[in-house]
Amino acid sequence: MNEQQLIKRATDIPGLDAMTGGGLPAAGGTLMLGRPAAGKTVLALQILAHAIARSEGGVFVSFEESCAQILRDAASFRWGPSLAEAERFELIDARPQLGAEVSGAFDLEGLLAAVGLCLERRQASWVVFDGVDHLLRRQRNPLDAIDQVQQLSDWCEARGVSLLLTGKLGDAETAPTHLEGVEFMLSTLILVSTKLVGHRLSRRLRIAKYRGTAHVADEVAMIMDHDGVHLPHGHYAAQVATGRIEASTERLSTGVARLDEVLGGGLYRGSTALISGLPGTAKTTLAASFAASATARGERVLYLSFDEDQEPVVRNLRSVGIDLRGPLDRGLLHFAAREAWSGLVEEHYWALHQALDRLRPQCLVIDPISALLKAPGVDSAFVSIERILDIAHLRGITTVLTSLGTRDDPQGEATLSHTSTLADTWLALDFNVRGGERNRSLSLVKSRGSAHSNQVRELLLSERGIDLADVYEYGTEVLMGTARMQKESEVHAERRRRVLARQQRQHELERRLSQAEAEAAQLRQELALEQQDSVQTEQFDREHERDVLARRSTRTAHSDAPQGDETP
Amino acid sequence: MNDPADACAQLQQELVLLVTGDAPRSRRARQNLARALEQLGLGDIATREVDLAADPAQTLSYGIFATPALLRPGPNGQPDVLYGDLSERDMLERFLAEG
């Protein structure tokens, strides 16, 4: 059988449809087995409610609970009231009579006749037999019961109806008591289970069998809240399967200009930054600075705070010049506070996922992500963190995570949580204690896609905000605080001395240049006089020569004339 | 939603056998009931047969979903029910004797 031959009907439970590749068989039975309180009835009711919401009819046959109990169960969910009032929904109380006895074998022909009537008048495409084992266990011969499960499925398959059969499992059972082997009868088998984790009830779901189609066979967390049942893993898998990660080159400011310089212009949009450090090293301040900067650009930010409520955070940040009240009031910042201990890891994950769906933020802050390690859960906190970051990447959400370290291992927890491996940028904050002072430091451990320096810098907090200061190495140490300021002062004085010396040298050169230029002018003047004198002398000499020549010429003429006429 | 109380209120002093047409177990139930009534000398007890295959709404009315099923008037207006093809003679005789 291939995908084309198996027609499926969507349950509209995104995780389940993703895990089943489109839903449950459109014709025939799905067996859902689980321990009491595992969520079988709710899951079945929810599937019917969704079907009815999209104008498919549904029939629910209850073998264990009264109609009133079923409706009360449903009423605690968002879709419950509309299900109870739906015209295309029929609820049948099929509980065996109290005190009823059995004499020989019975069949389900009467049940099928009634269900056929209901399917027809409701134009239904779904039917649920909830707790059918409660009736079938009365069969003297278990093989009759198993045959009748097969009969129910075949009957629905022939009518093109989706059948959901639920049954109870005991501890370590793989089939309901007296129905051993039923798990082999139907082509689709879903197992739901419960487990106490840290005194909390954790529900799980596994598609143990789905013949004729690819499916996710992993056991996954099943969350139940006011909206009903959710399968976060399936929901995640569906997004990852269809999503595509973009690599933006746009840089986003952290709200700290000098840190942006260190990062080569800021954080890449859609990237993940981790800020790790001890308590009090300003992780929250730095993360909030990023959030405030994002809202200043008009972007939506989801700030998930573990273990600290909104108002104290807002007040504390105001003292360092970060205003979150304005963005909160403008609806750009959504602050969600959760207690890590108050829910399972998978519940925290799902709550965050729903908030991302609802708010569609451009930026996300989780402060601190390491709190998830405190939460109980069957799902690993590490896996949940990876999924959160995957979804953030897929949606192009720029994410800043903080992670709390300990004195013995300031950055260890971040490493442990794998977050540092997943993060594109890792800022490590710490304290530098020297000379009786405790100063905050920041170092950039890594920043993918950016040339950067690993040099430690001092993180300065003031009422004007955050800033970074260069620090000075002194032997094997770095200088911060007063020592850094003293060193800065020395450097400043030295620089000033060098400037003054340079200025003096320039003045001297200028003076010498002026003197030289004056001497040059005088020499030029002397030269001009000399040249003038030379010209005049040459002029005189030429005139004198002409005069001599003229006189000689005259004397020669006189000597050639007759003596009588000779002039004395 | 079905309300079995209405249908069961009609049970007076008669037995009602719920069957589904000529299905094998229904057929056997008819035979086993008739034989038992005769052998126990209870042939005068009124017995009414309801074919749920022919009238599925009666299934909802009686609130009986395993067939065949034998009903007799019970305390507080609720019927006593014996499911099955009535092939276990001891159970059937006790059921009839208690009625």
Side-chain angles (χ1 to χ4, degrees), chain A residues 61 63 67-68 71 90-114 117-118 121-122 135 138-140 144 148, chain B residues 1-2 4 8 20 23-26 28 52-53 56-57 59-60 62-68 78-89 91-92 94-95 98:
Chain A
V61 186
F63 293 90
C67 292
L71 292 178
E90 182 133 6
L91 179 55
I92 299 174
D93 184 348
R95 291 175 297 168
Q97 296 293 117
L98 286 174
E101 294 183 284
V102 176
S103 172
F106 59 84
D107 58 46
L108 302 179
E109 298 294 337
L111 171 67
L112 291 179
L117 174 69
C118 296
R121 67 188 181 193
R122 305 296 176 185
L135 173 64
R138 294 164 188 263
Q139 285 285 23
R140 299 294 194 209
D144 286 343
Q148 282 161 355
Chain B
M1 278 160 270
N2 49 317
C8 295
T20 49
R25 291 187 179 92
S26 292
R28 286 202 295 272
L52 302 179
T59 308
L60 302 171
Y62 280 99
I64 301 297
F65 296 88
T67 47
Q78 293 296 314
D80 292 328
V81 180
L82 186 64
Y83 294 116
D85 61 7
L86 311 180
S87 58
E88 295 174 21
R89 184 63 180 267
M91 289 296 299
L92 175 59
R94 191 164 68 238
F95 185 83
E98 290 174 356

Side-chain angles (χ1 to χ4, degrees), chain A residues 355-374:
Chain A
L356 291 177
D357 284 348
R358 188 173 63 253
L359 300 168
R360 296 283 166 189
Q362 283 93 8
C363 298
L364 168 67
V365 174
I366 305 178
D367 180 31
I369 190 77
S370 49
L372 270 182
L373 298 175
K374 294 190 297 182

Side-chain angles (χ1 to χ4, degrees), chain A residues 300-423:
Chain A
R300 290 185 304 280
V301 177
L302 172 60
Y303 195 115
L304 175 59
S305 172
F306 279 110
D307 307 330
E308 193 161 15
D309 289 334
Q310 174 180 306
E311 289 309 312
V313 171
V314 171
R315 178 200 60 200
N316 298 340
L317 290 169
R318 189 185 304 125
S319 69
V320 288
I322 297 174
D323 172 38
L324 295 186
R325 174 63 59 200
L328 281 167
D329 292 344
R330 292 196 301 278
L332 290 172
L333 177 64
H334 181 86
F335 195 100
R338 294 182 67 83
E339 295 288 338
W341 292 105
S342 69
L344 298 167
V345 168
E346 47 266 36
E347 291 171 338
H348 290 305
Y349 166 79
W350 183 242
L352 173 59
H353 198 293
Q354 287 181 306
L356 291 177
D357 284 348
R358 188 173 63 253
L359 300 168
R360 296 283 166 189
Q362 283 93 8
C363 298
L364 168 67
V365 174
I366 305 178
D367 180 31
I369 190 77
S370 49
L372 270 182
L373 298 175
K374 294 190 297 182
V378 176
D379 263 2
S380 155
F382 308 141
V383 172
S384 290
I385 292 169
E386 286 192 29
R387 289 177 182 167
I388 289 168
L389 296 183
D390 278 349
I391 289 170
H393 276 132
L394 280 170
R395 299 185 182 186
I397 298 171
T398 313
T399 305
V400 170
L401 311 171
T402 70
S403 182
L404 190 61
T406 62
R407 184 68 268 177
D408 295 336
D409 189 11
Q411 315 302 343
E413 202 167 357
T415 305
L416 185 65
S417 70
H418 295 266
T419 313
S420 57
T421 309
L422 301 170

Side-chain angles (χ1 to χ4, degrees), chain A residues 442-463:
Chain A
L442 178 148
S443 58
L444 183 55
V445 181
K446 72 170 183 179
S447 185
R448 291 175 183 150
S450 303
H452 62 276
S453 162
N454 290 335
Q455 189 184 17
V456 175
R457 289 170 176 81
E458 185 174 354
L459 186 68
L460 303 172
L461 296 185
S462 73
E463 59 186 15

Side-chain angles (χ1 to χ4, degrees), chain A residues 414-538:
Chain A
T415 305
L416 185 65
S417 70
H418 295 266
T419 313
S420 57
T421 309
L422 301 170
D424 301 293
T425 300
W426 183 4
L427 299 168
L429 305 184
D430 202 354
F431 287 119
N432 182 285
V433 180
R434 188 171 183 273
E437 285 188 3
R438 177 186 291 262
N439 299 293
R440 296 181 179 88
S441 67
L442 178 148
S443 58
L444 183 55
V445 181
K446 72 170 183 179
S447 185
R448 291 175 183 150
S450 303
H452 62 276
S453 162
N454 290 335
Q455 189 184 17
V456 175
R457 289 170 176 81
E458 185 174 354
L459 186 68
L460 303 172
L461 296 185
S462 73
E463 59 186 15
R464 295 186 306 278
I466 310 171
D467 201 358
L468 291 184
D470 289 333
V471 293
Y472 298 89
E473 293 182 4
Y474 184 80
T476 58
E477 294 184 68
V478 291
L479 302 181
M480 295 187 188
T482 304
R484 188 252 315 154
M485 285 189 282
Q486 186 175 344
K487 183 67 177 175
E488 272 184 347
S489 178
E490 291 172 7
V491 169
H492 182 71
E494 176 60 27
R495 186 182 300 132
R496 180 151 181 78
R497 274 195 297 276
R498 285 201 302 271
V499 169
L500 286 174
R502 192 161 52 243
Q503 286 175 344
Q504 285 177 348
R505 197 162 56 250
Q506 286 175 352
H507 289 156
E508 174 62 19
L509 288 171
E510 286 170 356
R511 186 190 62 76
R512 287 169 59 187
L513 179 61
S514 298
Q515 185 177 357
E517 285 175 345
E519 288 176 359
Q522 186 174 350
L523 288 172
R524 276 194 291 274
Q525 188 175 7
E526 288 177 9
L527 177 61
L529 290 172
E530 183 66 26
Q531 288 171 335
Q532 185 180 2
D533 183 59
S534 175
V535 169
Q536 289 174 348
T537 302
E538 287 177 5

